[in-house]
């Protein structure tokens, strides 16, 4: 049981290049999330998904796109990278609704992205 | 708008000192509450969570937190910190209804001096 995995772990891009970050979870979780973490700003939600084939915007969606074609995978795409997208990106998943309670999020190890 | 405030951004303690990190949230409805820890270079890991019942919650590594509903607070405590507790700590809130989102505070960086 690997939990939440992310690839790649590190990446350096030039301005204008594109890339896709992959998040995979093997816990059969319904909900998946992409965050970016910047110093002093905590975690900011980029996009999230509450099920296969569904996605929704978070706080900071501009410049990013996502897809959830399979329940276990959640992809984050940068079509034209900008230096402002230099950050550490974390994927998280959670079980989803369970009556009136929600389970905690499980986080991946992160991807450190630098855009030059 | 819903928000989570962690007023202590940086805390420096000596080993064996007691720790209390503040967390306040703004949301009028029922919430689930979490504390996560992020060790240097690592991902966030759950320390403890509160859904209902006893407002004093015990977590891993000797941490505990108390939910005070009237104060919209969920402060994290540890009686005696160790050097290995050096990390960043995040408080998070999940409203029970109306949103799928978890709301995170900006984090508190704790440094424990040996």
């Amino acid at each position: 049981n690997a939990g939440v995995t992310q690839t790649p772990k590190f990446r350096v891009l030039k301005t204008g290049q594109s890339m896709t970050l992959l998040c995979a979870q093997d816990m059969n979780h319904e909900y998946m999330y992409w965050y970016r973490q910047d110093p002093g700003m905590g975690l900011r939600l980029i996009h999230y998904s509450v099920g296969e084939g569904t996605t929704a915007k978070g706080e900071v969606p501009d410049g990013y796109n996502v897809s959830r074609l399979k329940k276990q995978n959640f992809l984050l795409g940068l079509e034209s990278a900008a230096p402002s997208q230099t950050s550490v990106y974390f994927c998280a998943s959670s079980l989803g609704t369970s009556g009136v309670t929600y389970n905690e999020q499980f986080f991946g190890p992160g991807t450190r992205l630098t855009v030059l | 708008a819903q928000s989570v405030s962690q007023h202590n951004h940086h805390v420096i303690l000596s080993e064996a000192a007691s720790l209390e990190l503040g967390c306040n949230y703004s949301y009028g409805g029922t919430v689930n509450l979490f504390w996560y820890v992020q060790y240097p270079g690592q991902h966030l890991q759950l320390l403890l969570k509160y859904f209902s019942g006893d407002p004093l919650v015990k977590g891993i590594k000797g941490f505990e937190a108390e939910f005070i509903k009237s104060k919209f607070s969920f402060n994290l405590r540890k009686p005696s910190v160790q050097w290995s507790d050096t990390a960043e700590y995040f408080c998070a809130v999940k409203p029970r209804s109306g949103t799928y989102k978890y709301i995170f505070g900006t984090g508190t960086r704790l440094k424990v001096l040996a």
Side-chain angles (χ1 to χ4, degrees), chain A residues 33 37 100 102-104 108, chain B residues 38 43 49 51 96 100 102:
Chain A
Y33 304 79
Q37 184 180 32
V100 294
Y102 290 82
N103 285 282
E104 69 268 24
Chain B
Q38 185 179 30
H43 62 285
K49 60 187 178 184
F51 290 157
R96 290 266 187 94
Y100 298 105
Y102 295 72

Side-chain angles (χ1 to χ4, degrees), chain B residues 44-107:
Chain B
L44 277 75
Q45 303 168 49
L46 183 71
L47 265 182
L48 47 78
K49 60 187 178 184
Y50 173 79
F51 290 157
S52 64
D54 188 344
L56 185 61
V57 180
K58 293 193 184 298
I60 61 172
K61 305 187 180 187
F63 286 91
E64 64 179 31
E66 184 175 14
F67 171 48
I68 303 179
K69 189 175 181 180
S70 60
K71 295 185 177 180
F72 299 91
S73 70
F74 190 54
N75 292 354
L76 181 70
R77 299 195 292 248
K78 186 171 185 179
S80 176
V81 294
Q82 300 173 312
W83 177 80
S84 58
D85 293 324
T86 294
E88 190 159 17
Y89 293 81
F90 292 93
C91 180
V93 169
K94 172 68 180 68
R96 290 266 187 94
S97 63
T99 180
Y100 298 105
K101 302 175 189 176
Y102 295 72
I103 305 150
F104 283 81
T106 53

Side-chain angles (χ1 to χ4, degrees), chain A:
Chain A
N1 190 337
V4 180
T5 58
Q6 291 182 233
T7 51
K9 288 186 170 50
F10 303 93
R11 186 73 186 267
V12 178
L13 291 179
K14 293 181 180 177
T15 298
Q17 288 185 316
S18 63
M19 78 164 294
T20 300
L21 284 67
L22 171 64
C23 175
Q25 52 92 6
D26 60 2
M27 297 174 283
N28 201 34
H29 284 174
E30 287 294 331
Y31 297 175
M32 296 185 76
Y33 304 79
W34 275 108
Y35 295 92
R36 59 178 290 174
Q37 184 180 32
D38 302 291
M41 303 189 77
L43 289 170
R44 292 185 292 169
L45 182 64
I46 305 171
H47 286 281
Y48 64 100
S49 167
V50 299
E52 182 178 315
T54 73
T55 62
K57 294 180 181 180
E59 300 173 65
V60 289
D62 294 341
Y64 304 95
N65 56 74
V66 288
S67 64
R68 183 113 180 257
L69 299 179
K70 294 182 179 180
K71 185 176 183 178
Q72 63 267 35
N73 295 338
F74 194 30
L75 278 64
L76 177 72
L78 286 73
E79 291 184 346
S80 179
S84 61
Q85 294 177 304
T86 293
S87 187
V88 180
Y89 292 86
F90 287 101
C91 176
S93 71
S94 67
L95 187 61
T97 57
S98 177
V100 294
T101 63
Y102 290 82
N103 285 282
E104 69 268 24
Q105 291 181 310
F106 292 79
F107 285 83
T111 295
R112 187 172 293 275
L113 175 65
T114 302
V115 183
L116 302 175

